[in-house]
Amino acid sequence: MIFILMLIIFSDTAVKSAGSGLNLWFNVVFPSLFPFFVVSEILYKTGFIKAIGILLEPIMRPLFNVPAAAPLPLPWE
């Protein structure tokens, strides 16, 4: 209740902060994550993730107890 009351009292500050948050999202967060989302979807749709999962299953399951496709979000550099 106090939080809602403060949002009403300081509505100008809340609106400016929300605008700054959206600006940050569209100028920093979205451009940095968009390529990752696109490449991940392409790899998934082509079946690459399933194929590499089958190849890595004998290594990943005993060592880390995770499915073989689990490390694919990690950067490959």
Side-chain angles (χ1 to χ4, degrees):
M1 291 298 279
I2 294 172
F3 180 73
I4 294 171
L5 182 64
M6 290 297 168
L7 281 176
I8 293 170
I9 293 172
F10 300 108
S11 60
D12 186 45
T13 305
V15 170
K16 287 180 185 176
S17 298
S20 296
L22 288 173
N23 190 24
L24 177 70
W25 170 258
F26 285 115
N27 291 326
V28 176
V29 177
F30 181 72
S32 63
L33 289 178
F34 184 71
F36 171 75
F37 290 145
V38 170
V39 171
S40 296
E41 188 66 22
I42 290 171
L43 290 174
Y44 177 72
K45 293 288 184 182
T46 59
F48 178 77
I49 293 176
K50 189 171 188 169
I52 201 77
I54 292 169
L55 292 174
L56 292 177
E57 185 74 30
I59 298 168
M60 296 301 292
R61 187 64 72 175
L63 285 178
F64 303 109
N65 197 24
V66 296
L72 288 176
L74 299 175
W76 294 10
E77 292 184 23

